[in-house]
């Protein structure tokens, strides 16, 4: 079944308006923090895709990145603007469909998504997402994605769950996989969901 992006946008906009946001943990995800430190990701032009209410974008800005945050939901961007103003950092925030539009501030040195890539069920849609990331990265640019893992077992609750092969099928044509590890979402849940933490580098050809 082909994804209807209007319905996709409406679903997330409704969640933000109702404040039903289990993924909004009021802090940067520890997996992002650990990856930036562990791999020495250089400070440069960064994009947070599906930035939500902005906690990860704020952290990236505080670390010296020039940050753009993008989200499908206008309400999410409004909430992110409030948080960014309160934090006293600079970040460019935009509302757009990442699958359809390129971002003016491209190319980026680093693109991050926390639970955006994994929302798409179809292989061809995930592949289109990976191609968009590829097209908007500098040479040797890095993409860090956090996505729900099939290994979690709880397939009917929490975030969408994907297999490691789903990452490979979508991204390997465009990216060299540098690291693929199992972790848990930084979450306020009693038992956070198991996830894949995948760092990839743009292929040169």
């Amino acid at each position: 079944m082909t994804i209807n992006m209007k319905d996709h946008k409406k679903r997330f906009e409704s969640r933000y308006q109702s404040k039903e946001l289990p993924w909004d943990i009021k802090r940067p995800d520890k997996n992002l923090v650990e990856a930036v430190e562990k791999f020495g990701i250089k400070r440069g032009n960064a994009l947070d895709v599906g930035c939500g209410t902005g906690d990860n974008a704020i952290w990236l800005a505080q670390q010296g990145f020039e940050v753009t945050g993008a989200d499908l939901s206008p309400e999410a961007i409004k909430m992110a603007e409030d948080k960014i103003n309160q934090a006293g950092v600079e970040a460019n925030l935009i509302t757009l469909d990442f699958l359809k539009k390129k971002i003016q501030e491209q190319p980026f040195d680093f693109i991050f998504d926390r639970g955006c890539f994994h929302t798409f069920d179809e292989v061809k849609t995930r592949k289109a997402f990976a191609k968009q990331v590829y097209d908007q990265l500098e040479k040797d640019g890095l993409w860090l994605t956090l996505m729900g893992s099939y290994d979690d077992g709880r397939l009917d609750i929490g975030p969408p769950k994907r297999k490691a092969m789903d990452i490979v099928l979508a991204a390997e044509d465009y990216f060299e996989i540098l690291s693929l590890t199992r972790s848990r979402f930084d979450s306020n849940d009693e038992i956070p969901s198991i996830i894949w933490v995948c760092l990839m580098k743009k292929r040169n050809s």
Side-chain angles (χ1 to χ4, degrees):
M1 181 177 178
T2 301
I3 188 169
N4 184 317
M5 288 306 297
K6 288 185 178 179
D7 290 344
H8 195 69
K9 177 179 179 179
K10 184 177 179 180
R11 177 164 61 91
F12 278 99
E13 181 69 358
S14 176
R15 295 289 293 271
Y16 280 103
Q17 289 181 351
S18 69
K19 305 298 188 292
E20 187 184 350
L21 307 171
W23 57 83
D24 185 24
I25 60 173
K26 318 298 184 191
R27 60 183 181 271
D29 193 293
K30 66 180 181 181
N31 295 286
L32 168 64
V33 176
E34 290 172 358
V36 169
E37 294 175 351
K38 177 180 178 180
F39 294 102
I41 296 173
K42 69 177 183 178
R43 276 52 176 168
N45 198 14
L47 171 64
D48 182 1
V49 183
C51 67
T53 65
D55 292 304
N56 294 299
I58 288 170
W59 183 82
L60 287 168
Q62 290 171 337
Q63 306 313 303
F65 289 88
E66 296 179 22
V67 182
T68 296
D71 203 283
L72 197 64
S73 164
E75 184 64 25
I77 292 297
K78 289 179 183 177
M79 295 169 73
E81 286 173 345
D82 288 342
K83 282 189 177 183
I84 283 170
N85 288 335
Q86 291 173 14
V89 298
E90 291 186 8
N92 178 46
L93 298 175
I94 52 177
T95 304
L96 92 166
D97 180 349
F98 181 71
L99 287 175
K100 292 182 178 179
K101 294 183 179 180
K102 288 187 169 58
I103 297 171
Q104 184 176 355
E105 287 73 15
Q106 65 158 319
F108 297 95
D109 302 294
F110 176 56
I111 293 180
F112 171 67
D113 88 272
R114 178 182 185 264
C116 185
F117 178 59
H118 75 193
T119 63
F120 302 109
D121 291 331
E122 288 191 312
V123 172
K124 67 178 183 180
T125 310
R126 292 195 294 268
K127 197 173 184 72
F129 187 100
K131 181 62 162 57
Q132 276 287 75
V133 174
Y134 174 90
D135 286 343
Q136 297 186 64
L137 277 171
E138 288 274 17
K139 180 181 178 181
D140 296 327
L142 298 175
W143 173 25
L144 177 67
T145 184
L146 311 183
M147 60 188 297
S149 170
Y150 191 82
D151 290 348
D152 185 78
R154 298 170 295 175
L155 304 183
D156 56 341
I157 61 171
K161 310 299 196 302
R162 307 297 175 197
K163 297 179 180 180
M165 184 57 69
D166 292 329
I167 302 173
V168 174
L169 289 173
E172 195 171 32
D173 285 349
Y174 311 114
F175 291 91
E176 175 188 352
I177 297 176
L178 302 179
S179 175
L180 177 60
T181 58
R182 179 171 135 157
S183 183
R184 290 186 182 270
F185 265 133
D186 196 351
S187 171
N188 296 322
D189 294 340
E190 183 178 353
I191 304 176
S193 294
I194 294 172
I195 63 168
W196 296 115
V197 179
C198 187
L199 181 68
M200 293 170 271
K201 184 174 77 170
K202 179 176 178 175
R203 292 191 184 276
N204 291 328
S205 58

